[in-house]
Structures are given as structure tokens and as C-alpha cells.
Amino acid sequence: MNRYSRLYYYSLLGAIGGLIGWQVSNLLGLSFAQNLYLSEVVVGALIGFCIGALIGLSEGFAARSLLYGLRSGVISGLLGALGGAIGLPLAEYAFQFVGGESWARALGWAIFGLLIGIGLGITSSSQLWKPALGGLLGGAVGGLLLELARQRLSDPLVGKAAGLGLLGAAVGAFIALVVLLLSKAWLEVVTGKMKGTEFVLDKFIRAGGPSAYIGSDALKADIVLPDPDIAPQHALLKGADTHMTLKDISRQGTYINNRKVQVANLQNDQAIRMGNTQMVYHEKR
């Protein structure tokens, strides 16, 4: 999955997550407890988990790994649940505090989106603040769309369904859009089973930050390439602020522009080959 496809899948699965959350909240209702805010904490958590988990599963499509998708879905879902538990009561409190102005509810949904973005930042290879910013903006915009749908559609159930679908789509779309626009470095797979897939490398750019293993094992590598001629941990990417370094740690070898290398500083548009998979390194400085 490339960075543009993420925009589609994040939006689509976010919308589906919102519709699932709508169904769950309909079954549960908003008045199962005497304390309205307690009810909203639980309902908000369920809606948040549904939207966060579905958006998180998109990372599994990107890596073509069910295990990776489930891991990302669980983490994003749990943080989405926390965001919903905070966001829905906060939205209602803000609504009451400003005298019934519907736009105030967007403040709570912005917190909701922020935590979903943080969840995706933890599991993806983008810098944490970028999906967090996207989630914050998406939650605010989605919250406004939710209120607009509830006001404009005469059937309350339809309005709620449309609104939650729009909320989930907005959170997913803004996360993907901010990461797309602000990405500094990424690998594009141009041959092999993962052709067309792009891996954002922003999390690994900073000197002294985390390194990224490239390999064929989803449990051992950060960038997973399902190629039998690629070692479980084939190469190591490390950032140095001004550039990234690629180090071969395999027996099979790593090639840059058809030249075998042990350690090399990467430059924009260089071709990297491991096994039967070729990639192109891109960077924006």
C-alpha cells in the first residue's frame, strides 16, 4: 500500500468503524446507568475502540501482514477507547458549558482523534506527532460533521449513523493526509510481492533515535518484505539527522544501484535491492 492508498483505506475503515460503533451504541443506549456521564464514558470508549481498531488494521494491509495489522489494531483500538471515554463526556460538558452551541462538542472529539493518532504513531514508522496532529484535526472536523448530520437529518438514527461514519472517515483521512504531506523519507517497493508499497521512515531519521530492521520476519523486522531470499533481519536503517545509513547484516547481500555494499549513506532516488525485491529510497529535506 502506498501513502496515497492509506488515505483511502484509513478513511474507509474509519467510516466502517464509526458505523460499527453506531450499532454498538444503539444496542447499549445512552441511559443504561443513572449517571449520564458514566454512560457516555462507556459508550464513547466502545465507539472509540471500533474506529481506532479498524483504522489500525489498515497497517496490516500496508504490510500485508495479519499479525502486524492485529497488533496495530489492538493498540489503536485501546487508545481510541481511551479517547472516546474522555472525548464523549468532554464533548457533552463543553456543549453544556457554552450554552448549547453544537460546535463545542468538536473539542471532545478532537481529543478522541488525537489519541487514535497517537496509537497509530506508536505502531507505524511515522513520527508520533504527525498522526497525532492528523487525528486531532480529523476529530475536530469529524465532530463538526457529526453534529451537522444529527441536525440536518430528520431521522435521529440515520443522523447518528451518518455522523459517526463521517467522524471515523475524517479521523482516518486527516491522519493519512498529514503523514502524506509531511513525510520526509520513505522506501518505495518497485518489484516483488510488495510492489507499490511504501514504508514511511520518519521515525528513524533522528540521530540517536530508533533503528529499523528490514527483513522477511514480521516478528523481527520493522519493515517486512515477504521474500524467501531476504533474511529475517537483512539490513539495518539508522538515522543521522542529515542522512540515513543502511547497513547490510545478511549473508545474501544488499545492493545499492547494483553495487554490493556493507554500509552506505542513502541518497534520494537510490535503488536498493535485497533478494528479489527492489526498492527506491526517497527523501525530502
Side-chain angles (χ1 to χ4, degrees):
M1 183 193 303
N2 61 36
R3 293 171 302 141
Y4 295 93
S5 297
R6 274 189 173 88
L7 187 60
Y8 169 76
Y9 281 107
Y10 276 30
S11 303
L12 176 63
L13 290 177
I16 293 172
L19 292 175
I20 294 172
W22 165 67
Q23 285 283 29
V24 171
S25 65
N26 280 343
L27 291 173
L28 192 58
L30 275 175
S31 57
F32 61 89
Q34 291 184 347
N35 188 313
L36 176 60
Y37 286 102
L38 177 60
S39 299
E40 288 180 338
V41 165
V42 176
V43 171
L46 290 171
I47 293 172
F49 180 82
C50 292
I51 293 176
L54 265 291
I55 294 176
L57 284 174
S58 301
E59 286 300 307
F61 288 103
R64 299 188 188 181
S65 167
L66 177 61
L67 182 62
Y68 189 78
L70 290 174
R71 172 176 170 266
S72 178
V74 168
I75 292 175
S76 297
L78 290 175
L79 281 170
L82 178 61
I86 296 171
L88 185 56
L90 182 60
E92 188 59 34
Y93 177 79
F95 175 75
Q96 299 292 340
F97 182 77
V98 300
E101 295 289 340
S102 59
W103 59 264
R105 287 195 171 112
L107 298 175
W109 291 116
I111 301 299
F112 162 83
L114 170 69
L115 287 170
I116 290 178
I118 289 174
L120 284 168
I122 291 171
T123 56
S124 72
S125 51
S126 179
Q127 289 169 304
L128 185 65
W129 68 269
K130 293 174 183 176
L133 174 62
L136 181 72
L137 295 173
V141 171
L144 291 173
L145 293 174
L146 170 59
E147 291 305 312
L148 186 64
R150 291 172 64 177
Q151 291 174 10
R152 295 297 179 90
L153 298 175
S154 56
D155 188 328
L157 285 177
V158 174
K160 184 180 176 183
L164 287 175
L166 288 169
L167 173 66
V171 170
F174 273 85
I175 290 173
L177 185 62
V178 169
V179 171
L180 170 65
L181 294 176
L182 300 183
S183 294
K184 290 185 176 181
W186 63 96
L187 285 174
E188 177 191 4
V189 182
V190 294
T191 65
K193 295 180 180 179
M194 300 286 283
K195 182 178 179 180
T197 300
E198 293 179 348
F199 297 96
V200 177
L201 305 175
D202 292 8
K203 183 182 287 185
F204 311 109
I205 289 176
R206 181 172 57 86
S211 301
Y213 285 99
I214 303 174
S216 58
D217 191 324
L219 296 176
K220 296 181 179 180
D222 302 287
I223 297 170
V224 183
L225 301 170
D227 182 334
D229 293 317
I230 292 179
Q233 288 184 324
H234 194 102
L236 182 67
L237 269 172
K238 191 169 182 62
D241 290 332
T242 57
H243 64 276
M244 297 196 77
T245 298
L246 182 67
K247 179 180 180 181
D248 177 58
I249 54 174
S250 71
R251 293 181 179 179
Q252 297 92 328
T254 297
Y255 298 81
I256 295 180
N257 293 340
N258 292 321
R259 183 171 62 88
K260 189 174 183 180
V261 298
Q262 188 60 43
V263 181
N265 293 339
L266 293 178
Q267 298 178 11
N268 187 40
D269 289 337
Q270 281 185 323
I272 303 169
R273 179 166 58 85
M274 300 176 190
N276 295 311
T277 301
Q278 183 162 308
M279 298 167 282
V280 175
Y281 173 75
H282 301 281
E283 68 175 23
K284 292 189 300 185
R285 298 289 183 178

